[in-house]
Amino acid sequence: MTRVAPRLAALLAEHFAGDLPVRLRAWDGSEAGPKTAPVVVLRSPRALRRLLWQPGELGLAQAYIAGDLDVEGDLAEGLSRVWRSVREHGPAPTAPGPRQLARMALAALRLGALGPRPPAPGAPQARLRGTPHSTARDRAAIVADRVQELGLSELVEVELRHYRYLTKDGYDAVCAIEMGEHVGDAAYPGFVARLHALVRPGGRVLIQQMSRGAAAPGGGAFIESYIAPDMHMRPLGETVGLLEAGGLEVRSVESLREHYARTIAAWHQTLETRWKEFVALEGEPTARVWRLYPAGAGLAFTERRMGVDQILAVRTAPDGEAVMPTTPHDWCAREARQ
């Protein structure tokens, strides 16, 4: 009788172009796949059951968070091998037909994967109500206010207010740090209009915002469910176009993509070094969420599927005057003199 891992490897071979990018180890001790590849451990049939109930990225993530599925070796390397295989060989050539679906269902039955929906993994999941990017739903999606805790109350004034309801104007400068990707696609022109109205002629707007590669999806079901709900990322060029269309002149764009990859690697290392402490603090399911997220996000930044950029724009005067130094060297020199 064929054991579990070879049977699963044979099924995957039909629906995964190219060689299997990982090695499988199943709950019966059997193994299949390249011997040098990272090992994906299926601890019980419940790992497959989660995929039957929730196919795709989210089902895999939930199986990992619950501990039904694990990875031996470097988690990021395992994810990287999967991405490389898809990139080099493309997806499976065709969707499964009726006969293939019947074989898959029979295999699931024989492996004990059929059954009721498994319980939730145990890590908190974002569950927002209301219309996406309504004021109430946006409020639920953010976490504010550490100024008082850090003793900065006399230096910083904090208002918990949706950008739609900012009524003051005439500011010298406005900065939006990684909120533009949470505004929503349809609402972004209105967001730009609000930025334009907030600053005086000659006023500057600095936006730091995540982006996605032109052919990359960005975000995904796992991030939407566990990290940042209602997030929308677009290619950098589209954002620049929206800013220009809203009356702001883009003066400088700086990519921080590699910096983010290094920063995430440091976060990941800290998490692994202090793993037991984190598990004791938040529980293992939540700890596994934050082990999976930096591994995947760091890989996305490294492979240029995601980026993050600082965009400096200015609201020009009616005659077109930008009222600011003309080169980055002059900006820095002016700030140093002040």
Side-chain angles (χ1 to χ4, degrees):
M1 177 173 133
T2 305
R3 302 185 74 188
V4 173
R7 181 174 291 172
L8 288 175
L11 285 173
L12 286 173
E14 295 182 13
H15 309 291
F16 199 102
D19 296 333
L20 198 64
V22 296
R23 185 167 179 81
L24 299 177
R25 180 184 300 148
W27 56 88
D28 66 346
S30 61
E31 296 190 14
K35 292 185 177 180
T36 59
V39 179
V40 173
V41 182
L42 304 169
R43 300 197 181 282
S44 79
R46 192 164 58 182
L48 301 181
R49 191 175 302 163
R50 289 188 184 278
L51 288 171
L52 290 176
W53 280 96
Q54 185 71 64
E57 173 189 320
L58 187 57
L60 282 169
Q62 289 181 338
Y64 179 81
I65 293 166
D68 299 324
L69 179 151
D70 218 331
V71 177
E72 287 186 357
D74 190 286
L75 178 58
E77 174 61 17
L79 295 175
S80 180
R81 279 180 178 255
V82 173
W83 273 108
R84 283 202 302 269
S85 180
V86 171
R87 194 166 55 240
E88 292 169 3
H89 302 287
T94 59
R99 290 185 179 179
Q100 291 174 313
L101 288 172
R103 288 203 305 273
M104 292 168 65
L106 180 59
L109 177 63
R110 289 174 174 171
L111 294 172
L114 298 183
R117 181 187 287 271
Q125 188 171 345
R127 299 188 184 280
L128 304 181
R129 297 180 179 180
T131 304
H133 300 293
S134 62
T135 301
R137 180 159 169 151
D138 281 350
R139 181 182 294 269
I142 65 169
V143 176
D145 288 338
R146 294 190 63 215
V147 171
Q148 184 173 1
E149 178 184 327
L150 294 173
L152 301 175
S153 299
E154 295 183 2
L155 301 177
V156 178
E157 179 183 350
V158 176
E159 296 184 11
L160 182 59
R161 185 178 299 182
H162 200 284
Y163 74 88
R164 296 187 183 102
Y165 303 136
L166 293 173
T167 56
K168 297 179 182 179
D169 56 23
Y171 289 104
D172 293 330
V174 170
C175 188
I177 301 295
E178 295 191 21
M179 68 157 290
E181 57 269 57
H182 302 283
V183 167
D185 193 27
Y188 204 86
F191 173 62
V192 175
R194 193 75 218 106
L195 293 174
H196 184 274
L198 286 170
V199 293
R200 61 170 175 76
R204 289 155 289 176
V205 174
L206 179 67
I207 296 174
Q208 180 170 310
Q209 186 171 310
M210 294 173 68
S211 61
R212 63 174 176 84
F222 167 65
I223 290 179
E224 281 280 329
S225 297
Y226 288 95
I227 307 297
D230 291 351
M231 181 161 63
H232 177 84
M233 288 185 282
R234 65 177 61 78
L236 170 63
E238 292 182 15
T239 297
V240 170
L242 287 167
L243 293 171
E244 292 273 355
L248 295 170
E249 182 182 44
V250 173
R251 307 283 295 199
S252 174
V253 177
E254 181 179 4
S255 172
L256 304 180
R257 180 175 65 84
E258 292 94 344
H259 297 270
Y260 254 47
R262 290 195 290 269
T263 299
I264 289 173
W267 290 344
H268 196 187
Q269 180 61 38
T270 299
L271 177 65
E272 295 299 331
T273 301
R274 306 183 65 177
W275 178 252
K276 292 183 179 179
E277 295 175 61
F278 196 88
V279 170
L281 183 67
E282 294 291 341
E284 186 160 350
T286 298
R288 292 172 76 87
V289 167
W290 291 100
R291 174 185 269 170
L292 183 60
Y293 174 59
L299 185 63
F301 284 116
T302 298
E303 298 187 349
R304 201 169 166 257
R305 288 181 281 110
M306 283 170 48
V308 64
D309 309 276
Q310 285 190 346
I311 307 169
L312 178 63
V314 63
R315 176 180 173 177
T316 58
D319 62 358
E321 176 64 32
V323 197
M324 65 181 297
T326 54
T327 70
H329 178 271
D330 293 331
W331 305 340
C332 297
R334 179 178 178 182
E335 293 299 324
R337 288 194 300 270
Q338 292 177 346

